[in-house]
């Protein structure tokens, strides 16, 4: 499962707080995504809706059934303030 990027579908469909998980369908009634989140300055349903594409949801389901969990990549990075002088390496 290639998870370099997480794909989301941007939609103008109304997604109200609390009703994520609903179907996002095309004009032919085919399921194309699962409504997940909305970015809204007002806190209401007007804003930018985001949905998980069905192919990604399917991969998650297969992983849950097979392994009982979803494994994601991890990048071991530690953020710290920049110093003007770094200690010299002993190498």
């Amino acid at each position: 499962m290639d998870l370099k990027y997480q794909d989301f579908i941007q939609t103008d469909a109304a997604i109200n707080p609390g009703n994520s998980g609903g179907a996002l369908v095309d004009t032919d009634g085919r399921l194309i995504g699962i409504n997940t989140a909305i970015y809204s300055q007002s806190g209401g349903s007007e804003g930018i809706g985001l949905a998980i594409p069905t192919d990604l949801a399917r991969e998650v389901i297969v992983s849950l059934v097979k392994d009982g969990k979803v494994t994601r990549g991890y990048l071991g990075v530690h953020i710290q303030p920049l110093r003007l002088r770094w200690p010299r390496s002993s190498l």
Side-chain angles (χ1 to χ4, degrees):
M1 181 165 48
D2 184 15
L3 292 175
K4 292 180 186 173
Y5 300 98
Q6 294 297 312
D7 294 324
F8 286 93
I9 300 169
Q10 181 178 333
T11 178
D12 62 354
I15 302 174
N16 294 303
N19 77 346
S20 61
L24 179 65
V25 296
D26 65 11
T27 56
D28 294 322
R30 293 179 297 220
L31 179 67
I32 61 169
I34 301 169
N35 294 326
T36 303
I38 186 165
Y39 173 76
S40 172
Q41 292 182 343
S42 69
S45 62
E46 60 282 334
I48 300 171
L50 299 170
I52 299 172
T54 53
D55 58 342
L56 178 58
R58 188 174 294 112
E59 290 175 4
V60 168
I61 291 167
V62 168
S63 181
L64 287 171
V65 170
K66 180 181 172 203
D67 303 321
K69 63 180 179 176
V70 177
T71 303
R72 305 278 186 191
Y74 174 77
L75 181 61
V77 175
H78 177 75
I79 306 298
Q80 65 185 38
L82 181 63
R83 292 194 244 166
L84 293 176
R85 294 182 179 251
W86 288 93
R88 292 187 179 236
S89 173
S90 61
L91 298 177

